[in-house]
Amino acid sequence: MQEDVFPAAEKILADIENVLEKDHNLIGFEIIPAEDNENKSPVFHAENYLGLASWSVQPLFCYVYNRLLDLRQSKYRREDPVKISRWLLGAVLLNPDISTFWNMKRELVKNRRLDPMQELRFSSIVLYYKSKCFEAFVYRRWLIKFLLTDTSQSSIEIETLVRNEIKVATMTANRYCSNNHAWCHRQYAVGLFETLAKENFYSFLQNEWETTNNWCSRNVSDYSGFAYRQFLLKKLLFIYPRNDEMKISLDKIARHRTIVLEYVKNDKRECKNAFVYSDTVNSEFLCPLHGVRSEKKAEDCDQTVINLSYWIEECVLNEDLIKTFPGHEALWCHRRFLAYSLLALINSYKKYFQYKSEIFDFNQTQRHWNRENKVAGDSAMSRGLLEEAFHIHNQDLIAQAKRSGQHQNFLAEKFIKYLMNNDLEQ
């Protein structure tokens, strides 16, 4: 780049900086198509949005790029840090995909020349403009780590910090379809909450489950959202809270037990053994569901039923979406995960009489173990009520898919092959 002479550059950068300093509720940044007007500033500020006239973008970026490049080559080593941060402000705002600029910002943060909290706010404005900018997400995670290890920031509230990251991830996912970077960042926020705020993690997880239910129902083609649901489901399936705050009310147990019974009662064969214990949650209730014959008493039966109900809720939601919005491959791919999860839950309960995460990534040997149990066991118990109900629901779903056109039929056939490969169809 040779165009480094732009007399108005410093004035434009100062105007942008003033907007950021004055408007603490600034939401985003946009480039506004506009012709050059020498008598008017190219910086726009209205209703918590920052705009820059398109005519000024190229000369302004060339100006800051060359200044920062010279800085890296030691030509401006004694330059005022305030001016350097202003150059970086313009460079990152206009082209946030250059990692060198973010690294220079990191240096200023470590040297106490930039406020990390203000940088979090600034990077969210950048992400409004470039919602799939990987460098911006990485920078936010670095800032959070810096804040958590910085002794001068002892007043940081973890829950507030995490919920802000959830807000940013939601905004970027809404602004850019199939934004895997946004959903991965949301997973990072959940992991941070789990590590640093364990006492409130379960309620936080349930809130995320309900919130993303609505989002995925409105974005049925976006598999990245369903992948996040899978991440949450794995957390909810294998969580067994132990502290006193997580005592389960009888109403909650009854509500989740009803979800389970409503799902398996669609089974076309006799389900009497599931309903004999309709007022109790114990091993005699859970064993028929998983196709297990045992006199051993399981622990945490109430929590196991609650965890199982989340899998059933997702199955029901998935079925409703496939029927309502036929032809979306993301929904069928998500159903494969649910089938995979069912096998994991069955195998886990057979082995531990509760759900454990280590069985989730079961290998081919364990699948053979599952098949052998089906062949060797009593025929009435070879398929538990859960598996039988899933089979019946699949039959109904596949039958409707075959009536819904060639593409939907193609997706259903692929799903059938997946079931057969995993011993879920007979």
Side-chain angles (χ1 to χ4, degrees):
M1 295 183 182
Q2 297 179 353
E3 306 95 334
D4 59 351
V5 178
F6 185 40
E10 292 293 344
K11 175 65 168 63
I12 294 171
L13 292 172
D15 289 346
I16 294 173
E17 191 175 52
N18 287 335
V19 172
L20 290 169
E21 288 177 356
K22 291 179 180 179
D23 189 351
H24 293 282
N25 297 315
L26 202 63
I27 296 171
F29 167 73
E30 291 283 6
I31 302 295
I32 301 172
E35 295 182 358
D36 188 359
N37 186 338
E38 295 181 358
N39 298 319
K40 188 176 181 181
S41 171
V43 179
F44 299 90
H45 177 219
E47 298 181 355
N48 302 124
Y49 286 93
L50 171 66
L52 185 65
S54 57
W55 66 262
S56 66
V57 172
Q58 183 179 359
L60 182 61
F61 182 74
C62 290
Y63 176 86
V64 295
Y65 180 91
N66 285 325
R67 292 298 182 277
L68 292 170
L69 191 63
D70 289 342
L71 177 67
R72 298 297 282 183
Q73 295 174 352
S74 302
K75 291 184 180 180
Y76 290 100
R77 279 297 179 187
R78 296 184 179 180
E79 190 61 72
D80 182 6
V82 174
K83 185 171 286 189
I84 295 172
S85 65
R86 192 176 295 155
W87 293 343
L88 285 169
L89 172 67
V92 170
L93 203 58
L94 297 177
N95 190 350
D97 294 318
I98 301 177
S99 58
T100 300
F101 296 156
W102 292 107
N103 289 335
M104 294 173 75
K105 274 185 162 290
R106 287 182 177 90
E107 292 175 11
L108 291 176
V109 171
K110 287 189 288 187
N111 292 328
R112 311 289 177 179
R113 298 293 185 177
L114 288 176
D115 181 358
M117 294 301 294
Q118 293 299 324
E119 284 298 289
L120 279 175
R121 188 170 68 91
F122 170 71
S123 61
S124 69
I125 295 168
V126 172
L127 282 166
Y128 182 91
Y129 174 53
K130 285 287 185 73
S131 298
K132 208 173 182 180
C133 180
F134 176 71
E135 296 294 341
F137 283 115
V138 172
Y139 183 61
R140 290 189 72 84
R141 292 195 279 272
W142 180 86
L143 286 171
I144 291 171
K145 184 178 179 181
F146 180 85
L147 285 167
L148 294 176
T149 56
D150 186 5
T151 54
S152 65
Q153 300 286 345
S154 57
S155 61
I156 293 293
E157 293 185 6
I158 299 301
E159 291 195 29
T160 303
L161 198 64
V162 170
R163 292 187 191 282
N164 189 51
E165 296 311 298
I166 296 291
K167 183 180 178 181
V168 170
T170 302
M171 178 268 292
T172 50
N174 285 334
R175 287 185 58 79
Y176 199 109
C177 296
S178 300
N179 193 342
N180 191 53
H181 295 319
W183 291 103
C184 287
H185 189 71
R186 194 162 181 154
Q187 288 188 29
Y188 163 80
V190 172
L192 193 67
F193 199 105
E194 182 178 16
T195 303
L196 302 177
K198 291 181 179 179
E199 65 278 2
N200 298 323
F201 179 62
Y202 191 47
S203 58
F204 169 78
L205 204 59
Q206 290 175 310
N207 182 66
E208 277 292 277
W209 181 252
E210 294 171 6
T211 302
T212 53
N213 181 320
N214 296 328
W215 195 94
C216 288
S217 297
R218 298 192 307 269
N219 299 271
V220 293
S221 293
D222 195 335
Y223 186 73
S224 56
F226 289 106
Y228 181 73
R229 291 281 289 178
Q230 294 167 14
F231 165 79
L232 292 178
L233 183 58
K234 284 189 280 187
K235 294 283 185 184
L236 289 165
L237 285 174
F238 306 118
I239 195 168
Y240 284 85
R242 296 293 182 180
N243 56 53
D244 293 338
E245 294 181 4
M246 295 312 302
K247 288 182 179 179
I248 308 169
S249 68
L250 294 177
D251 288 343
K252 182 175 182 178
I253 297 170
R255 185 169 66 254
H256 287 273
R257 183 186 65 236
T258 300
I259 292 172
V260 175
L261 292 177
E262 285 292 322
Y263 186 75
V264 299
K265 81 176 184 180
N266 288 316
D267 184 355
K268 294 178 181 177
R269 70 177 191 182
E270 289 296 322
C271 299
K272 293 179 181 179
N273 50 0
F275 292 96
V276 167
Y277 310 102
S278 58
D279 296 327
T280 309
V281 173
N282 53 24
S283 299
E284 294 173 321
F285 175 83
L286 289 169
C287 285
L289 292 174
H290 298 86
V292 175
R293 263 191 157 161
S294 175
E295 296 180 358
K296 179 180 177 179
K297 291 186 177 180
E299 299 179 2
D300 296 311
C301 291
D302 293 340
Q303 189 62 50
T304 298
V305 167
I306 292 172
N307 294 358
L308 174 61
S309 69
Y310 290 112
W311 177 83
I312 290 174
E313 284 180 16
E314 194 66 4
C315 284
V316 172
L317 172 65
N318 178 256
E319 291 165 24
D320 291 342
L321 292 178
I322 289 176
K323 292 176 180 179
T324 307
F325 305 101
H328 292 274
E329 189 168 8
L331 298 174
W332 288 96
C333 289
H334 186 51
R335 193 159 187 82
R336 292 186 191 182
F337 171 83
L338 295 173
Y340 180 91
S341 303
L342 176 59
L343 278 181
L345 297 181
I346 291 170
N347 287 334
S348 181
Y349 193 83
K350 285 180 177 179
K351 188 172 182 180
Y352 302 112
F353 289 91
Q354 65 175 204
Y355 302 145
K356 292 197 174 183
S357 58
E358 54 262 32
I359 205 75
F360 196 86
D361 296 320
F362 57 91
N363 55 33
Q364 193 64 36
T365 302
Q366 288 169 306
R367 290 179 186 175
H368 286 306
W369 172 83
N370 187 51
R371 185 188 300 118
E372 288 166 3
N373 272 269
K374 285 184 179 181
V375 174
D378 180 72
S379 58
M381 296 299 292
S382 62
R383 177 186 274 172
L385 295 176
L386 279 174
E387 189 174 347
E388 185 65 24
F390 189 65
H391 173 73
I392 298 298
H393 282 263
N394 285 336
Q395 284 185 326
D396 178 57
L397 205 57
I398 291 167
Q400 179 169 324
K402 290 183 176 181
R403 298 190 299 268
S404 301
Q406 185 175 356
H407 181 60
Q408 183 80 334
N409 184 34
F410 171 73
L411 296 175
E413 289 294 337
K414 286 178 66 176
F415 180 64
I416 292 171
K417 289 180 182 178
Y418 180 84
L419 294 177
M420 293 177 66
N421 290 335
N422 288 276
D423 305 320
L424 281 168
E425 286 292 311
Q426 293 180 348

